[in-house]
């Protein structure tokens, strides 16, 4: 059976082996799909613990080189046109295959690039043999990366490549005052709505929720008593969210923190495309 090709724009890098691809907008925000890279294993990013249906979970740390792998993909793929070759789908509905930069499969093979840089390894146990030539090529690239000591194969480097993440900034008011309105480098990690963003501040890896100063956007209302707490968008909430996502999500920005509202920050985002 021939592989299906899916073309679109990379909206977001979820991890070192998964991205979200969106289509072109027509009369509203476009459809999107999460896809997974077949036959490679990438280091896992840290996860915030919390209260879920199965109880309380603890925070986890990055596996070594997890953030470098995510950043390699983010800088290479976000906002770019790609082609995804869908090789197979699991019983749970996950689509696995290969991502190529550009309009067809002649572009850069992202799985090969990850293996070449020592940022992922080849999955051998349980690997799907959908493309035996690619599997052989990935194995040769991994051997070369190991021999060169690249990425995760570098000797005695693992602990140097694990972030010390700050999930909550203590005393937000003092933190804002200490910056004296100076711009701070950040990555936009999530868009809640048209005026509320989740940011990763650099270089200290502090996560904050930012509400844009001076504006109010249509929101997504959650009614716990109806539809299992399903969110209902106010008029134009989805359009406003997409407007901001398509310009800022997982982009490098500068943020000026101007105030605090409870544990959230108020401020202004500077982005070269928006000037």
């Amino acid at each position: 059976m021939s592989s299906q090709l899916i073309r679109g724009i990379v909206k977001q890098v979820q991890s070192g082996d998964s991205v979200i691809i969106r289509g072109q907008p027509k009369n509203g925000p476009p459809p999107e799909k999460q896809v997974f890279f077949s036959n490679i294993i990438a280091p896992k990013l840290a996860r915030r613990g919390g209260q879920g249906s199965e109880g309380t979970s603890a925070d986890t740390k990055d596996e070594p080189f997890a953030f470098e792998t995510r950043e390699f993909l983010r800088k290479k793929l976000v906002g770019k046109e790609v082609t995804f070759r869908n090789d197979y789908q699991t019983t749970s509905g996950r689509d696995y295959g290969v991502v190529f930069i550009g309009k067809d499969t002649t572009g850069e093979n992202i799985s090969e690039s990850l293996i070449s840089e020592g940022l992922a390894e080849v999955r051998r146990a349980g690997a799907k043999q959908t493309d035996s030539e690619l599997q052989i090529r990935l194995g040769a690239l991994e051997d070369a990366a190991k021999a060169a000591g690249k990425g995760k194969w570098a000797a005695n480097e693992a602990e140097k490549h694990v972030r010390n993440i700050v999930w909550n900034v203590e005393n937000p008011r003092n933190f804002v005052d200490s910056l004296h309105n100076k711009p701070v480098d950040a990555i936009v990690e999530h868009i809640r709505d048209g005026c509320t963003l989740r940011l990763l501040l650099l270089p200290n890896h502090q996560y904050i929720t930012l509400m844009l100063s001076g504006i109010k956007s249509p929101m997504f209302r959650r009614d716990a008593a109806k539809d299992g707490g399903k969110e209902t968008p106010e008029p134009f909430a989805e359009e406003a969210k997409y407007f901001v996502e398509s310009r800022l999500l997982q982009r490098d920005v500068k943020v000026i923190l101007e105030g605090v509202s409870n544990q959230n920050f108020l401020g202004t985002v500077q982005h070269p495309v928006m000037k």
Side-chain angles (χ1 to χ4, degrees):
M1 183 175 67
S2 61
S3 299
Q4 177 189 6
L5 298 182
I6 300 173
R7 297 177 180 85
I9 305 296
V10 175
K11 168 188 169 179
Q12 188 174 16
V13 175
Q14 292 288 86
S15 64
D17 56 8
S18 174
V19 300
I20 294 177
I21 299 174
R22 66 168 175 83
Q24 294 294 340
K26 293 181 180 179
N27 301 318
E32 58 187 52
K33 185 178 189 64
Q34 184 173 3
V35 300
F36 299 82
F37 303 163
S38 59
N39 295 347
I40 70 169
I41 302 172
K44 292 180 173 58
L45 288 164
R47 288 189 176 275
R48 179 83 183 274
Q51 185 69 37
S53 59
E54 299 181 357
T56 301
S57 61
D59 297 344
T60 65
K61 299 185 70 174
D62 285 339
E63 293 182 355
F65 287 93
F67 187 66
E68 284 89 339
T69 304
R70 199 292 294 262
E71 287 296 271
F72 177 83
L73 293 177
R74 181 181 71 86
K75 293 174 181 179
K76 185 179 286 287
L77 293 180
V78 170
K80 301 290 181 60
E81 185 174 20
V82 298
T83 298
F84 174 68
R85 190 187 72 196
N86 191 345
D87 292 338
Y88 66 93
Q89 187 178 78
T90 65
T91 55
S92 64
R94 285 189 171 190
D95 292 301
Y96 283 83
V98 182
V99 169
F100 302 86
I101 294 180
K103 298 178 181 295
D104 53 42
T105 58
T106 63
E108 179 181 348
N109 180 320
I110 296 302
S111 295
E112 290 182 358
S113 297
L114 286 169
I115 297 297
S116 295
E117 295 297 323
L119 296 174
E121 60 185 280
V122 180
R123 181 187 297 277
R124 290 179 169 84
K128 295 278 189 178
Q129 295 300 322
T130 56
D131 187 338
S132 57
E133 289 185 7
L134 175 61
Q135 194 74 0
I136 293 171
R137 196 157 62 247
L138 291 177
L141 292 172
E142 182 179 271
D143 290 342
K146 287 180 178 178
K150 299 182 74 173
K152 63 181 294 181
W153 308 117
N156 304 316
E157 288 290 315
E159 291 306 313
K160 299 177 184 178
H161 295 272
V162 177
R163 291 178 295 167
N164 182 20
I165 297 173
V166 178
W167 294 108
N168 282 309
V169 174
E170 294 185 5
N171 202 329
R173 180 72 259 177
N174 283 356
F175 182 69
V176 170
D177 292 342
S178 71
L179 296 173
H180 304 292
N181 287 322
K182 293 180 180 178
V184 179
D185 291 328
I187 301 169
V188 179
E189 295 288 342
H190 177 71
I191 310 291
R192 182 191 300 171
D193 53 48
C195 63
T196 311
L197 321 176
R198 186 72 170 163
L199 303 181
L200 175 63
L201 303 184
L202 301 173
N204 296 321
H205 299 285
Q206 299 146 313
Y207 282 92
I208 69 167
T209 297
L210 178 79
M211 297 188 295
L212 297 176
S213 297
I215 68 169
K216 184 178 184 299
S217 170
M219 301 174 65
F220 295 81
R221 301 289 184 182
R222 186 186 297 275
D223 188 343
K226 296 180 180 179
D227 299 324
K230 182 179 178 181
E231 288 187 335
T232 302
E234 294 179 344
F236 294 101
E238 292 178 336
E239 289 83 353
K241 180 180 179 181
Y242 172 69
F243 181 89
V244 179
E245 273 187 349
S246 60
R247 290 159 173 80
L248 295 184
L249 182 60
Q250 284 200 333
R251 269 36 175 229
D252 295 306
V253 300
K254 291 186 182 294
V255 57
I256 300 174
L257 299 181
E258 299 160 352
V260 174
S261 176
N262 297 320
Q263 290 298 112
N264 297 330
F265 291 83
L266 305 174
T268 300
V269 170
Q270 298 177 333
H271 186 273
V273 175
M274 301 291 283
K275 289 184 178 178

